[in-house]
Amino acid sequence: MKKITLILRFEIITILKSKVYLFFAFVLPVLMTAIFTFISLRGRYTQSQEIQEIPQQERNEEQVYSEGYVDLAGLVQTLPSWLPAGALQSYPDEFSAQKALASQEISAYYVIPVDYIRTGDLVYINPDYRFMSNEHNQSGFMQGVIFENLLGNDPGRIQRVNQGMDLELVAFVPQETPQESQGENNWIIPYATMMLMYMVLLISSSLLLTSVLTERKNRVIEILLVSSSARQLLTGKIIGLSLLGFAQAVVWLGMGYLSLKVRSQSIGLPAGMDYPVSLLVWAIVFFLLGNAFYAALMAGLGALAPNPGEANQLIFLVIWPLFVPILFYPIIINTPNSILAVILSLIPFTSPIAMLTRMVSTTIPFWQPLLAAFLLALSAVWVVRQVARLFHSGTLLSSQPLNFRKIRSNLEPK
Amino acid sequence: MPISLVGWWVVARYEYRKKIRSKSYIFSLFLVPLLVAFTIGLGALVERTESNQKPLGYVDDSELLVNPQQPPVRGSSPDSTGGRVPLQVIAFPDTLAARSALEAGEIQAYYYLPPNFNQTNQVVKSIYEETDYHADSDFLSFLQVNRLGDLAPEVAQRAVAGPNVIVRWPADAPGGGREFSSRNFLSNFSPVFLLLAFITLIFINSSEMAGAVAEEKSNRTMEILVSTISPGKWIAGKAMATLMMIITQLTAWWLVSMAAIWITQLLGIRLFQNFSIDGLLFLKIALVFTPTFITLIALMLALSATVNEPQEAQQVSWLLVYPVMFPFFFLPVVMENPDSTLGLVFSLLPITSPTMLTLRFSFFQVPDWQLVSSVLISFIFAAGAVWLAGRALRLGMLRYGQKVSMKELFGRKARGRL
């Protein structure tokens, strides 16, 4: 235990002297919080300015752009009365619509092809269109016009289609009550949580890789291996660096919390959208376990790779699973109880990020985080034990190229 | 003044040949695209198994559905690749028959239309377990299309399905006539795929760049090198070798990705049917990344030349590489408002500019002046970085046990000495 404490203390002191750690742990989050705060405050200031400048009457009306259409299918007979004046203008052919667009008479135009009824294709030429945003997208007007004209502008038909249905649900077994929507901004906190967890896990687990590679290079590892066992060395390193990673996580989370507080005021997040204490406890649990798991994997990589260059080529292999929940973030945030989200939150490779993101997005059964934490802890212990086998002079002092036979022979019980 | 016996090309060739023979490099050539493909495939597979394709049942006591038509998919087109097949809706004579079908697992739910449905609009849905996400909307489409029985079936289907909107930027616009529609669903995200590839390239090569000079210093090869080649040529050779490694990786990833897409197309997987990457867009992204690659290579070499051990340079190299990731933290802001001041500032700042510009390329048409300004600023910055690298190398190449300080690197005294 004494040796572990010594190694732990050595690691903490060494890392605290590193400018890189200090930058990532303290300077970077402060810098990012400052940028976020500036954007939020600026946005709030601009909004208040706009509200002062625009008269009340105009503020209630959304801006309507003038657009054109070329009806090659001959569908549009009349324009409905609800359509704002000048919102749509007819053009006989695409050439004239292009000319009108070039002379800025219209901001966009539509082409209704001859075979519209079969294909449904409605071509919308819009230079200001923004993918994944409804700003500058006025196609709803044109869709409404086509819809009513297809129904022969008959009010009876339009009413029959638009009346929808009043659904009454009879469940023969009790169903889970759907989570109440938290509004348009309900993805901000889960997304921020996901990115914060990703950053702190990545940075803190990378510390161990750097530490092992440095000590291999400057031969300190030889002295350490003479005076302590490989498992003591690895345990001391993991605990020491986890504590540093935790300190870093506290700063990151604190700054993230501050950013969200500032931003929540400017974008109007509901007052209930906050981090409850239980969630913070789970965050600490998943961070510590996730860090132990990934730090041990990184240590294994550091022990096996013959040089830092090779280690960096392969680091992608180790950290890739951390990125998977980010790739599927729309699914995890929007449908946190879907099979994919549940699987990702239980697999130890992805659970630290996916489970926490789900917990922020919705209410989940208590057994799920408990099971995920148990599986993660089990995996972390297993990985640490396996990596400890790699921590011997044969691998740590060799600079032989990495190969699977070498890994397998090192992992075999002796 | 060192005698230049060999050209920079010899250094580049030697370095390139040495590096590409390493197993980890060969591994990274094929593993990265395969891992990406595996993740996307896994996600698609799980999503597919998650959707419930069992039919929906109904019992019509309102006598509305005399000769029913199946529901259309909203916004559908015959050549949509991101679309879905609507759930089949089948009739039952009474609720008893429908309930037995539900209990037998033949249907996922049944809807009951009471005699006064036309007046009350009320529908009772009976289930045992959660239904498919689209069940209710498909049944609503079914009702809507059958409420238009007085129209020609294809017209009623199209009216309910609505249009398949194909948005295009004009061909002469800065975005170069890109199309956003359900028939090339995956292609809409192609800038993001390219961005991830370029960022991964930077990350996996950063350590190689950072250790480049320090390695020679550490093993004393530097002393032999300086007597055979000038520092400028040597650094150019090193930088070229790294660039060639990056190009090789990019080419391999491209080929593996194309092969994977070709296989998915042969297998008839709809999602990949019309997948393509716009050549102009690729060129633009490559253009904004090129000065950043040069900048990073030069700064890493400078860093490497000023320290004693490769390890020290590799630790600090993260400081240079991380700004490339910064714009991802502001992704929601950029998606909300791609022409915001934040987007513009990060698009003009060297190192953050390729990521921010590519993210903005994904969502809207970045004006040409912003692209040109960004590339110009980045190239000027890259030239400065190359100059700094040469200077750092001259100052630090034969210095052992003592680092080159910032003051020395930028100081007037040192400049005079050179």
Side-chain angles (χ1 to χ4, degrees):
Chain A
M1 192 62 201
K2 198 181 166 192
K3 283 178 183 170
I4 293 179
T5 319
L6 272 173
I7 295 164
L8 185 156
R9 208 170 58 191
F10 169 75
E11 285 298 326
I12 292 178
I13 293 168
T14 313
I15 297 291
L16 279 178
K17 283 180 187 165
S18 154
K19 284 176 190 164
V20 182
Y21 173 79
L22 295 175
F23 176 81
F24 279 113
F26 305 106
V27 181
L28 187 62
V30 171
L31 200 74
M32 293 191 62
T33 308
I35 296 173
F36 248 123
T37 310
F38 173 74
I39 296 163
S40 302
L41 294 177
R42 195 178 172 277
R44 211 185 303 168
Y45 173 76
T46 318
Q47 274 176 12
S48 64
Q49 287 277 88
E50 280 168 4
I51 289 168
Q52 280 168 18
E53 282 163 16
I54 303 169
Q56 181 68 37
Q57 196 185 343
E58 284 176 34
R59 231 187 296 157
N60 296 333
E61 290 171 15
E62 275 186 35
Q63 190 182 0
V64 175
Y65 303 99
S66 183
E67 296 182 326
Y69 68 93
V70 182
D71 183 11
L72 301 175
L75 284 178
V76 183
Q77 302 301 316
T78 50
L79 293 178
S81 54
W82 50 258
L83 191 71
L88 282 173
Q89 295 169 40
S90 172
Y91 289 92
D93 51 50
E94 198 170 349
F95 180 69
S96 4
Q98 275 170 351
K99 244 173 81 179
L101 182 67
S103 62
Q104 294 184 336
E105 274 173 50
I106 50 173
S107 62
Y109 69 87
Y110 304 86
V111 178
I112 308 170
V114 183
D115 57 352
Y116 172 79
I117 289 180
R118 188 186 67 81
T119 63
D121 290 350
L122 173 66
V123 183
Y124 185 25
I125 310 291
N126 184 349
D128 297 319
Y129 174 76
R130 292 161 186 196
F131 181 49
M132 311 276 281
S133 162
N134 279 328
E135 220 177 312
H136 296 278
N137 181 356
Q138 214 172 252
S139 63
F141 284 149
M142 190 71 228
Q143 293 185 43
V145 169
I146 295 175
F147 170 72
E148 293 199 4
N149 278 275
L150 278 174
L151 301 188
N153 295 302
D154 179 338
R157 282 189 195 133
I158 294 167
Q159 199 263 334
R160 286 207 303 272
V161 175
N162 283 341
Q163 67 189 8
M165 60 180 180
D166 294 331
L167 207 60
E168 186 190 318
L169 188 71
V170 177
F172 295 118
V173 274
Q175 293 293 298
E176 280 174 34
T177 318
Q179 175 91 354
E180 266 183 49
S181 168
Q182 290 170 319
E184 280 179 16
N185 293 314
N186 64 347
W187 52 272
I188 290 178
I189 290 182
Y191 184 80
T193 309
M194 182 179 263
M195 290 306 285
L196 279 172
M197 196 68 173
Y198 173 72
M199 281 303 290
V200 294
L201 273 178
L202 182 66
I203 296 169
S204 61
S205 60
S206 301
L207 289 174
L208 197 56
L209 175 68
T210 314
S211 163
V212 174
L213 288 170
T214 309
E215 283 165 10
R216 280 184 66 190
K217 188 75 192 174
N218 61 22
R219 305 287 184 195
V220 173
I221 205 100
E222 294 174 28
I223 303 159
L224 289 171
L225 280 175
V226 169
S227 50
S228 66
S229 73
R231 197 171 290 178
Q232 283 171 331
L233 181 63
L234 188 63
T235 313
K237 276 180 177 295
I238 289 179
I239 297 173
L241 296 177
S242 292
L243 288 175
L244 285 170
F246 182 65
Q248 188 175 330
V250 168
V251 177
W252 274 84
L253 284 169
M255 288 294 143
Y257 185 74
L258 196 69
S259 304
L260 281 171
K261 277 280 169 199
V262 174
R263 189 156 168 78
S264 66
Q265 286 169 20
S266 67
I267 60 173
L269 283 180
M273 285 186 76
D274 220 333
Y275 285 110
V277 178
S278 62
L279 197 67
L280 287 175
V281 173
W282 278 116
I284 293 168
V285 169
F286 278 106
F287 167 74
L288 290 175
L289 293 173
N291 188 57
F293 181 75
Y294 274 99
L297 285 176
M298 291 283 198
L301 180 64
L304 288 166
N307 57 55
E310 296 240 345
N312 243 42
Q313 293 277 355
L314 293 172
I315 200 171
F316 182 76
L317 193 66
V318 178
I319 62 168
W320 174 251
L322 271 181
F323 200 67
V324 173
I326 296 174
L327 274 181
F328 294 114
Y329 91 88
I331 296 170
I332 297 175
I333 293 172
N334 296 329
T335 50
N337 285 324
S338 60
I339 294 175
L340 180 66
V342 174
I343 290 175
L344 287 177
S345 65
L346 292 178
I347 295 173
F349 282 99
T350 48
S351 64
I353 293 180
M355 181 56 83
L356 208 62
T357 311
R358 282 184 64 214
M359 291 174 85
V360 180
S361 307
T362 189
T363 311
I364 57 171
F366 184 69
W367 66 266
Q368 289 188 6
L370 208 63
L371 177 65
F374 175 71
L375 290 175
L376 186 58
L378 216 62
S379 312
V381 170
W382 185 80
V383 172
V384 170
R385 287 169 74 100
Q386 295 300 311
V387 170
R389 288 183 180 170
L390 301 172
F391 260 60
H392 58 76
S393 50
T395 49
L396 291 170
L397 305 182
S398 111
S399 51
Q400 282 175 359
L402 183 65
N403 63 57
F404 286 108
R405 201 177 298 164
K406 184 177 147 189
I407 299 173
R408 208 175 57 192
S409 70
N410 279 309
L411 289 177
E412 273 168 9
K414 304 224 163 32
Chain B
M1 191 73 185
I3 308 157
S4 203
L5 296 176
V6 291
W8 62 269
W9 179 245
V10 178
V11 177
R13 200 174 51 191
Y14 169 76
E15 287 287 325
Y16 177 70
R17 281 184 180 170
K18 191 176 87 179
K19 300 292 181 196
I20 61 161
R21 283 179 190 156
S22 79
K23 278 184 186 163
S24 56
Y25 182 78
I26 297 167
F27 205 48
S28 74
L29 283 183
F30 303 101
L31 197 75
V32 174
L34 289 178
L35 269 177
V36 176
F38 173 75
T39 314
I40 293 174
L42 187 74
L45 191 74
V46 174
E47 276 300 286
R48 211 167 160 175
T49 52
E50 195 160 273
S51 70
N52 187 344
Q53 289 302 306
K54 279 183 194 167
L56 301 170
Y58 73 92
V59 179
D60 179 22
D61 279 350
S62 70
E63 295 175 0
L64 169 81
L65 309 163
V66 185
N67 190 17
Q69 294 178 52
Q70 286 299 312
V73 176
R74 290 177 191 276
S76 68
S77 168
D79 54 357
S80 291
T81 56
R84 47 177 284 277
V85 179
L87 296 169
Q88 195 195 354
V89 184
I90 47 180
F92 288 92
D94 51 52
T95 49
L96 271 177
R99 179 143 184 197
S100 343
L102 183 67
E103 280 170 0
E106 291 163 14
I107 52 173
Q108 53 177 303
Y110 68 87
Y111 297 81
Y112 173 66
L113 273 61
N116 59 349
F117 169 70
N118 272 329
Q119 289 80 49
T120 62
N121 222 22
Q122 202 144 28
V123 178
V124 183
K125 176 188 177 186
S126 299
I127 56 168
Y128 262 124
E129 52 188 19
E130 210 172 317
T131 50
D132 187 80
Y133 180 74
H134 298 99
D136 293 343
S137 63
D138 278 356
F139 189 74
L140 179 63
S141 299
F142 173 73
L143 283 181
Q144 287 174 325
V145 86
N146 288 296
R147 277 169 162 170
L148 295 173
D150 54 338
L151 280 177
E154 65 276 14
V155 176
Q157 290 266 347
R158 179 50 61 200
V160 172
N164 166 42
V165 183
I166 299 166
V167 187
R168 280 188 202 138
W169 287 334
D172 56 348
R178 246 178 93 194
E179 181 181 302
F180 303 88
S181 69
S182 60
R183 66 180 171 205
N184 60 354
F185 176 75
L186 210 57
S187 306
N188 297 339
F189 298 94
S190 56
V192 180
F193 298 142
L194 288 171
L195 176 63
L196 289 176
F198 278 103
I199 287 180
T200 310
L201 280 174
I202 289 177
F203 269 78
I204 62 176
N205 288 297
S206 64
S207 179
E208 207 61 59
M209 301 177 208
V213 181
E215 202 181 315
E216 269 86 355
K217 271 178 79 179
S218 167
N219 61 22
R220 299 286 201 259
T221 323
M222 182 65 88
E223 287 157 30
I224 305 160
L225 278 167
V226 290
S227 60
T228 51
I229 187 167
S230 70
K233 283 184 181 176
W234 186 61
I235 221 155
K238 283 267 184 187
M240 182 49 77
T242 312
L243 259 182
M244 279 156 59
M245 279 169 68
I246 289 172
I247 291 168
T248 309
Q249 278 166 324
L250 194 62
T251 313
W253 293 358
W254 181 277
L255 290 174
V256 174
S257 309
M258 286 302 117
I261 289 164
W262 179 67
I263 292 167
T264 57
Q265 288 175 346
L266 280 185
L267 292 173
I269 299 173
R270 290 179 74 200
L271 188 63
F272 294 91
Q273 287 310 305
N274 298 318
F275 182 75
S276 66
I277 291 177
D278 181 18
L280 183 70
L281 187 71
F282 176 78
L283 283 179
K284 277 183 181 177
I285 296 173
L287 181 69
V288 294
F289 264 95
T290 304
T292 304
F293 277 134
I294 297 171
T295 304
L296 286 175
I297 292 169
L299 288 179
M300 298 267 188
L301 288 174
L303 189 71
S304 185
T306 55
V307 295
N308 296 313
E309 290 292 332
Q311 215 61 58
E312 290 175 55
Q314 275 141 9
Q315 281 177 16
V316 189
S317 70
W318 290 86
L319 284 179
L320 297 172
V321 169
Y322 259 95
V324 179
M325 288 290 284
F326 272 7
F328 272 108
F329 285 96
F330 306 105
L331 182 63
V333 183
V334 179
M335 276 170 74
E336 238 173 75
N337 196 3
D339 56 352
S340 61
T341 315
L342 174 93
L344 177 63
V345 169
F346 276 115
S347 300
L348 296 176
L349 276 179
I351 303 184
T352 60
S353 61
T355 311
M356 183 53 94
L357 270 175
T358 311
L359 284 175
R360 293 173 71 215
F361 283 150
S362 313
F363 306 120
F364 100 129
Q365 300 202 67
V366 178
D368 285 339
W369 72 266
Q370 288 186 18
L371 174 69
V372 173
S373 312
S374 170
V375 172
L376 269 178
I377 292 171
S378 293
F379 267 112
I380 292 168
F381 196 76
V386 169
W387 171 81
L388 192 73
R391 193 175 158 80
L393 186 67
R394 283 186 191 93
L395 278 171
M397 63 187 174
L398 290 178
R399 197 185 286 189
Y400 296 102
Q402 196 191 356
K403 292 177 191 172
V404 178
S405 67
M406 286 289 158
K407 201 175 163 188
E408 254 183 301
L409 197 58
F410 293 99
R412 191 181 288 269
K413 198 176 160 189
R415 213 178 300 153
R417 221 169 54 198
L418 290 167

